[in-house]
């Protein structure tokens, strides 16, 4: 589902439960429950398959990969 909110991404990051949500890029949060598959992607990034599917590719930015793997427990 899509929601229009009147918060910046930084504000949302402070509000969301860090055990449940992770900011994979400047413009994208994911829920741990939505991740179906994680694959390597060029440029030392990761690409996520999410459920429900999203229109844009869910790419974990280079800067976030290490923290993302820690968040996922890997």
């Amino acid at each position: 589902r899509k929601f229009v909110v009147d918060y910046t991404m930084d504000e949302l990051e402070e509000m969301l439960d860090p055990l449940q949500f992770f900011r994979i890029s400047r413009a994208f949060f994911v829920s741990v429950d939505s991740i179906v598959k994680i694959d390597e992607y060029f440029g030392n990034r990761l690409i996520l398959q999410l459920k429900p599917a999203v229109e844009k590719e869910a790419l974990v930015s280079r800067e976030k990969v290490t923290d993302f793997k820690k968040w996922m427990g890997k």
Side-chain angles (χ1 to χ4, degrees), residues 17-22 24 30-33 35 66-74:
D17 179 356
L19 297 176
Q20 184 68 29
F21 293 93
F22 188 86
I24 62 170
V30 295
S31 166
V32 67
D33 297 329
I35 300 169
T66 301
D67 289 338
F68 178 77
K69 287 180 178 179
K70 287 179 188 174
W71 180 71
M72 290 295 295
K74 296 183 180 184

Side-chain angles (χ1 to χ4, degrees), residues 22 24-25 30 35 37-49 57-72 74:
F22 188 86
I24 62 170
S25 67
V30 295
I35 300 169
K37 186 177 178 187
I38 303 169
D39 289 312
E40 297 287 327
Y41 196 75
F42 80 93
N44 296 321
R45 294 182 291 175
L46 301 172
I47 188 166
L48 309 179
Q49 181 183 347
E57 289 183 325
L59 294 172
V60 180
S61 69
R62 282 183 212 88
E63 297 81 18
K64 302 276 187 171
V65 168
T66 301
D67 289 338
F68 178 77
K69 287 180 178 179
K70 287 179 188 174
W71 180 71
M72 290 295 295
K74 296 183 180 184

